[in-house]
Amino acid sequence: MRQITFGEFGIQALEPAYLTNRQIESARIAINRHIRRGGKVWINIFPDRPLTKKPAETRMGSGKGSPEWWIANVKPGRVMFELAGVPEPLAKEALRLAGRKLPIKTKVVKREADLFAS
């Protein structure tokens, strides 16, 4: 998903990373607090991959560890959050604050004009 599909503004990943469900939720809360629930927010990533971990001081073998947390695998260029229904300066600031909550470099992108719309 390289372009914005639902909203007017979005936050795009510039490097690959694993994002946990807590990081995604933290960014969502930052957006909603800044726009004061004025617009609509779309979350385009979902933590659907389990990350396992074996207990400390466990011998080798005896199978795989139990799932500890869930992650979303994010690649560069992925639009993670989208926003609509708010003025441009407010949207850009809200998405900038959300990018600060994530452990990767991000940039705020704007929907391009539909050149071939009928």
Side-chain angles (χ1 to χ4, degrees), residues 35-46:
I35 63 173
R36 295 194 185 93
R37 298 183 45 177
K40 179 137 176 62
V41 179
W42 288 270
I43 305 170
N44 295 335
I45 52 176
F46 187 78

Side-chain angles (χ1 to χ4, degrees), residues 89-106:
L90 186 65
K92 285 188 174 182
E93 181 64 17
L95 293 171
R96 188 190 68 79
L97 290 174
R100 293 291 187 177
K101 300 289 183 183
L102 303 174
I104 58 176
K105 289 182 181 175
T106 58

Side-chain angles (χ1 to χ4, degrees), residues 17-104:
Y18 290 157
L19 295 183
T20 65
N21 53 349
R22 290 171 174 258
Q23 292 166 340
I24 296 168
E25 181 67 8
S26 173
R28 183 194 67 81
I29 290 171
I31 292 171
N32 283 336
R33 280 195 180 145
H34 194 74
I35 63 173
R36 295 194 185 93
R37 298 183 45 177
K40 179 137 176 62
V41 179
W42 288 270
I43 305 170
N44 295 335
I45 52 176
F46 187 78
D48 55 356
R49 185 174 163 201
L51 216 61
T52 61
K53 187 176 179 185
K54 294 189 77 160
E57 300 180 9
T58 304
R59 292 185 176 189
M60 291 286 106
S62 72
K64 191 170 182 169
S66 59
E68 287 291 316
W69 52 81
W70 294 82
I71 57 148
N73 202 2
V74 176
K75 295 179 179 169
R78 175 75 185 222
V79 177
M80 299 176 288
F81 295 90
E82 295 183 26
L83 186 56
V86 293
E88 183 172 351
L90 186 65
K92 285 188 174 182
E93 181 64 17
L95 293 171
R96 188 190 68 79
L97 290 174
R100 293 291 187 177
K101 300 289 183 183
L102 303 174
I104 58 176

